[in-house]
Amino acid sequence: MDRIDLFRIFTRVVETTSFTRAADTLNMPRSSVSAAIQELENRLGTRLLARTTRSVTPTPDGTAFYEHCVRLVMDVEEAETLFRKDRTAPRGRLRVNLPGRIGRLIVAPALPAFLRDYPDIDIELGVSDRTVNLIEDGIDCVLRVGPLADSALIARQLGELPLINVASPAYLARRGMPRTPADLPQHEAVRYASPATGRVEAWEWRADGTVHSLHMSGRVTVNSAEALVACGLAGLGLIQVPAYDVRHHIEAGELIEVLPRWRPEPMPMALLYPHRRHLSRRVQVFADWLATRLAAAMTNQPDEAD
């Protein structure tokens, strides 16, 4: 096997901490990955990986060699494109993970145009409200909404996601229209529990430059944005959701904005990708395209009340 191929396999095993996951992301048999690592260790005369029943971790020699491998692989990939007439054209497979509603409502409908503009890029689109591990799962980039945890990942900020408060006409007919946050204790909310932590999010609103919160009562708790909107439409309580997510329901009269003067703080959006000396062209062009798509989707939101 070519040395550069051995280096590519080794870096993927380190990044995924698993022979099986590395094989899956490289579309190779696991036995070929194992044989490649053994060949590489024999060539170098040192053990690069420590194997346990649960994971694979680099030895001290493996950690030092990994840093060299990443640079070498990137340099070789860049050198291979030097004399192509279309060397600036991004190519290859791009593995992306997005929150469920953004993936379904914003990105997927626009993908035909992206694939037409970049005919040499193939997309593997993961759509989930659960947190994924970029390194272990071999994902090139992931869109995260909300505050970011400390990590070694690189973050590109992509703007903010405006949120609003809504309820169905049936719920408001039954419970009345809340006029101020002081009315909230007399109402029910569809409560949202974080898929990652299970923690139920408080109802929040911004007033006089301060963010306030209240733990609302409610008989239904969900852990996905899809279920949150569905329960709101079913009249099960007040919900706080991204404005883009319910724009068509508001226009159709299926949901009504409530407490427009007391909206939650917008949530930051960021595209995360693993640290690399060179960011691949396919990730660069996708990030630029996604930023444009999100900005377009966030326009024409309901105006905040004076």
Side-chain angles (χ1 to χ4, degrees):
M1 187 176 292
D2 181 84
R3 287 189 183 184
I4 293 300
D5 289 332
L6 293 178
F7 295 168
R8 286 192 180 102
I9 293 170
F10 170 68
T11 58
R12 189 58 59 86
V13 172
V14 172
E15 291 167 352
T16 61
T17 70
S18 165
F19 283 89
T20 301
R21 283 194 291 268
D24 289 343
T25 61
L26 292 168
N27 294 316
M28 297 176 62
R30 186 187 183 284
S31 58
S32 298
V33 171
S34 180
I37 297 301
Q38 185 173 356
E39 179 182 348
L40 187 58
E41 289 179 328
N42 290 338
R43 284 191 179 192
L44 297 174
T46 188
R47 190 176 185 187
L48 298 173
L49 299 171
R51 291 86 156 167
T52 69
T53 55
R54 294 188 175 182
S55 65
V56 178
T57 56
T59 63
D61 286 345
T63 299
F65 187 64
Y66 169 77
E67 299 299 329
H68 288 284
C69 278
V70 169
R71 292 195 297 269
L72 286 169
V73 170
M74 289 293 184
D75 286 343
V76 167
E77 290 179 349
E78 185 175 347
E80 288 175 341
T81 66
L82 281 177
F83 304 107
R84 291 177 182 162
K85 293 181 180 180
D86 60 344
R87 63 180 181 272
T88 60
R91 62 183 66 243
R93 184 172 299 275
L94 182 64
R95 303 190 73 197
V96 180
N97 190 272
L98 306 170
R101 299 283 287 185
I102 290 178
R104 186 173 71 81
L105 298 178
I106 297 177
V107 174
L111 270 183
F114 177 85
L115 296 176
R116 183 175 61 249
D117 292 341
Y118 301 101
D120 295 321
I121 295 181
D122 295 329
I123 298 283
E124 286 189 20
L125 183 62
V127 176
S128 172
D129 289 336
R130 297 187 179 276
T131 301
V132 298
N133 188 308
L134 275 76
I135 304 300
E136 291 186 1
D137 296 332
I139 295 172
D140 293 298
C141 57
V142 59
L143 179 67
R144 294 268 169 84
V145 177
L148 296 176
D150 292 336
S151 75
L153 301 174
I154 305 301
R156 172 177 170 177
Q157 300 301 322
L158 296 182
E160 293 184 325
L161 187 65
L163 303 175
I164 59 175
N165 315 303
V166 296
S168 72
Y171 173 85
L172 296 174
R174 188 171 71 251
R175 300 296 295 268
M177 173 74 76
R179 301 297 177 184
T180 73
D183 296 332
L184 289 174
Q186 285 72 55
H187 284 267
E188 290 187 346
V190 180
R191 306 192 306 168
Y192 180 79
S194 166
T197 66
R199 182 174 65 88
V200 175
E201 306 288 347
W203 187 277
E204 294 186 349
W205 68 93
R206 182 182 57 206
D208 300 323
T210 304
V211 176
H212 305 265
S213 64
L214 174 70
H215 286 282
M216 295 278 291
S217 62
R219 299 182 63 189
V220 177
T221 301
V222 300
N223 66 353
S224 77
E226 200 80 37
L228 184 66
V229 173
C231 288
L233 288 167
L236 295 174
L238 306 174
I239 60 173
Q240 291 190 316
V241 290
Y244 84 87
D245 213 348
V246 292
R247 181 191 306 141
H248 298 305
H249 295 303
I250 292 175
E251 293 172 352
E254 299 167 335
L255 290 172
I256 297 171
E257 184 176 8
V258 301
L259 301 174
R261 293 178 56 191
W262 294 278
R263 290 177 175 174
E265 283 279 283
M267 299 180 71
M269 298 182 292
L271 191 71
L272 305 184
Y273 48 87
H275 186 2
R276 289 289 186 271
R277 186 179 61 146
H278 302 298
L279 181 61
S280 74
R281 279 281 295 147
R282 57 184 177 272
V283 174
Q284 290 179 27
V285 297
F286 180 80
D288 292 342
W289 176 83
L290 181 61
T292 301
R293 292 303 311 155
L294 291 174
M298 299 308 133
T299 59
N300 300 319
Q301 306 294 354
D303 294 328
E304 189 164 0
D306 297 328

